[in-house]
Amino acid sequence: MSRETSAPSAARFIRGVRTALALLLFVSLVLIAQQSSQLVYGIGVLLVMVTVLLGFTFNNIPDDASYAGIVKALIITWVIVGCVVGVSIESAPFLIMLGR
């Protein structure tokens, strides 16, 4: 498949994902705002974290990107998030020690 034929479908995919992420963000905020169930609140918090991370990625992908560009951006995002989480986990004991 050449870039000319895959670019419009990739652009349509990116727009569709952006729309879905906006709707998911609204749903997650509604789940967080309800006060009847702790489980639903937890699902809302998890959903908002995933939605925001994917939103960062898809809102920074240009509309003319190919599917390979989308996958590349997702991998870069996952590596950065993984590094931040790893550094946070490794530094937590040291920070706790400093607080004592």
Side-chain angles (χ1 to χ4, degrees):
M1 213 181 238
S2 69
R3 184 165 171 87
E4 293 81 26
T5 59
S6 68
S9 64
R12 201 171 27 247
F13 175 73
I14 292 170
R15 284 192 304 272
V17 169
R18 287 178 184 162
T19 303
L21 288 172
L23 293 172
L24 280 174
L25 186 59
F26 177 74
V27 168
S28 64
L29 293 176
V30 169
L31 293 176
I32 290 171
Q34 62 81 34
Q35 297 179 359
S36 61
S37 172
Q38 183 72 22
L39 176 65
V40 174
Y41 174 81
I43 291 170
V45 170
L46 183 63
L47 186 60
V48 80
M49 290 188 314
V50 170
T51 304
V52 167
L53 287 174
L54 287 175
F56 285 149
T57 303
F58 278 95
N59 287 325
N60 288 313
I61 296 175
D63 286 334
D64 62 345
S66 65
Y67 281 49
I70 295 169
V71 171
K72 180 181 172 186
L74 285 170
I75 290 172
I76 290 170
T77 301
W78 292 337
V79 167
I80 291 171
V81 169
C83 289
V84 169
V85 169
V87 167
S88 299
I89 290 171
E90 289 297 318
S91 65
F94 175 72
L95 294 173
I96 290 171
M97 184 187 67
L98 284 177
R100 291 184 181 181

